[in-house]
Amino acid sequence: GTKGEGSTTAMLESCLRAAGYRTGLYISPHLHTFRERIQANGHKIAREDVVALVEEIRPLIERIPGVTTFEAITAIGFLYFARAGIDVGVIEVGLGGRLDATNVITPEVSVITSLSLDHTQLLGNTLAQIAYEKAGIIKPGVPVVSAPQRAEALSVLEKVSQERGAPLIEIGRDWDYDPGPADLEGQSFTVRRIADGGSELDGEYWTPLLGRHQLENGAAAIAALEEVRGRGFRVPAQAVRAGMRDVKWPGRLEILSREPLVVVDCAHNPYSAQTLRRALEEWFPGQRWVLIFGASTDKDIPGMLRELVPVSEYIIVTRSEHPRAAAPIELADVVASVGGGAEVSVNIRKALRRALAVREPDSGLLVTGSVFIVAAAREEWAHHTGTALPDNDG
């Protein structure tokens, strides 16, 4: 997907582990440590296993010209899962789908979350082109669950599914969901299967993940679990409820502090920024924000800032230490171009301290723009508050 694939992956893994399966989880990118990308039964791969596997596959990699880093990481992950004796793996696609390294597998079920324009330089300039690349994960005869899509994307998914004889299960047509009570601890929602007389998985769920978009992801995950139940997996409803309740996916509309209010979110394209803005307006109505923003140079930065500037009373632009991070002075120019003004800060530590100094007593602090800036903010906030640092292999 473009939005929600990481959250949906985390939900699926949590539910399958709650059902008693030994799980493998493969995700990208990571927040704090590379080891987050490869997990077995809820535990990150050990440092020594990473080192040993890199040394083991190095001779093979050196024999094949043009192997990418992501391809090598995927090989390491799959080899680790094979030796760890997992029962079921939940694999997040890295980029696109059709040509992605993860697409060598034939899954029990495929899931495509909400699609929008992103990585256009690689995947295409239209939603239809991007949908075609994403639809590359659809395998002959393997069911595919789709989150609600715009018509342009849905028509492509329907066409590819039909050509490959893959049953297409759509959220909004075959399954539906309704939001329930919500607060800053989490939210309830009700899911029901519209087709085929309902499902044992119909009913009410609760998740700690905030934002109405997570209900769409939750419904997609539950629909996918129903499909694997039909393929012989034992996943009782109580395990799905436990998995949804206990899922962890940090850095996504995450509240680091209530007083002062500090929120971080890995919004990294205009659609994600729009989703974030809507969630902020619902969860924190009337709240004004001091925005700390940092982004990668290959992103649609003007599109993101057009969503975020209107809800920001003060903007500080900064950068992470990632080599793709855009220079703060360039970000300040973009803020100006969309009608705002920004203060430049050279790193996240200074940006956080400055934000805390300039904010009004009733203002919140919002950090967003990239996974890398959110990771840096989470680590710096732990330093600032004297709490336990996230595991970052430092």
Side-chain angles (χ1 to χ4, degrees), residues 123-146:
L123 301 181
N125 294 314
T126 69
L127 200 53
Q129 290 173 323
I130 289 174
Y132 173 74
E133 295 298 327
K134 305 286 186 177
I137 69 168
I138 299 173
K139 297 295 200 305
V142 176
V144 54
V145 174
S146 174

Side-chain angles (χ1 to χ4, degrees), residues 232-245:
F233 285 76
R234 185 191 58 80
V235 188
Q238 61 265 31
V240 181
R241 287 188 171 83
M244 285 289 173
R245 183 189 65 235

Side-chain angles (χ1 to χ4, degrees), residues 51-222:
V51 173
L53 287 167
V54 167
E55 290 303 315
E56 181 176 348
I57 73 162
R58 184 194 300 274
L60 301 173
I61 297 298
E62 290 173 346
R63 289 184 213 161
I64 307 171
V67 172
T68 66
T69 300
F70 186 76
E71 287 168 343
I73 294 169
T74 303
I76 289 170
F78 288 1
L79 182 57
Y80 180 74
F81 291 156
R83 291 177 180 170
I86 66 166
D87 300 314
V88 57
V90 187
I91 312 299
E92 180 186 1
V93 172
L95 179 65
R98 183 173 65 93
L99 301 177
D100 192 77
T102 62
N103 202 28
V104 297
I105 64 171
T106 299
E108 296 288 338
V109 61
S110 302
V111 181
I112 298 177
T113 61
S114 184
L115 299 179
S116 60
L117 295 177
D118 196 19
H119 300 292
T120 53
Q121 73 279 15
L122 296 172
L123 301 181
N125 294 314
T126 69
L127 200 53
Q129 290 173 323
I130 289 174
Y132 173 74
E133 295 298 327
K134 305 286 186 177
I137 69 168
I138 299 173
K139 297 295 200 305
V142 176
V144 54
V145 174
S146 174
Q149 307 289 355
R150 289 184 239 174
E152 185 182 357
L154 182 59
S155 64
V156 174
L157 301 184
E158 289 175 335
K159 182 174 184 291
V160 174
S161 297
Q162 185 175 24
E163 289 172 350
R164 298 179 186 170
L168 177 62
I169 299 95
E170 297 178 31
I171 305 304
R173 185 193 69 180
D174 303 300
W175 287 76
D176 207 355
Y177 65 92
D178 293 305
D183 56 29
L184 296 184
E185 298 296 329
Q187 55 184 328
S188 298
F189 63 109
T190 301
V191 175
R192 63 187 177 278
R193 186 181 188 180
I194 299 169
D196 302 323
S199 163
E200 289 182 13
L201 300 186
D202 289 352
E204 186 174 343
Y205 294 84
W206 184 89
T207 178
L209 305 184
L210 303 183
R212 295 301 184 189
H213 56 286
Q214 296 293 6
L215 306 188
E216 179 181 294
N217 298 331
I222 291 166

Side-chain angles (χ1 to χ4, degrees), residues 6 12 93 104 135 137 153 167 233 238 318 320 324 327 331 343 348 385-386:
L12 285 165
V93 172
V104 297
I137 69 168
F233 285 76
Q238 61 265 31
T318 188
S320 69
R324 290 209 317 269
L331 294 176
E343 179 177 333
I348 192 68
T385 57

Side-chain angles (χ1 to χ4, degrees), residues 223-258:
L225 290 167
E226 177 62 38
E227 292 304 311
V228 299
R229 277 161 50 95
R231 294 167 76 90
F233 285 76
R234 185 191 58 80
V235 188
Q238 61 265 31
V240 181
R241 287 188 171 83
M244 285 289 173
R245 183 189 65 235
D246 296 335
V247 65
K248 294 178 175 58
W249 194 232
R252 282 75 178 178
L253 201 62
E254 180 185 13
I255 301 171
L256 296 186
S257 168
R258 299 281 185 92

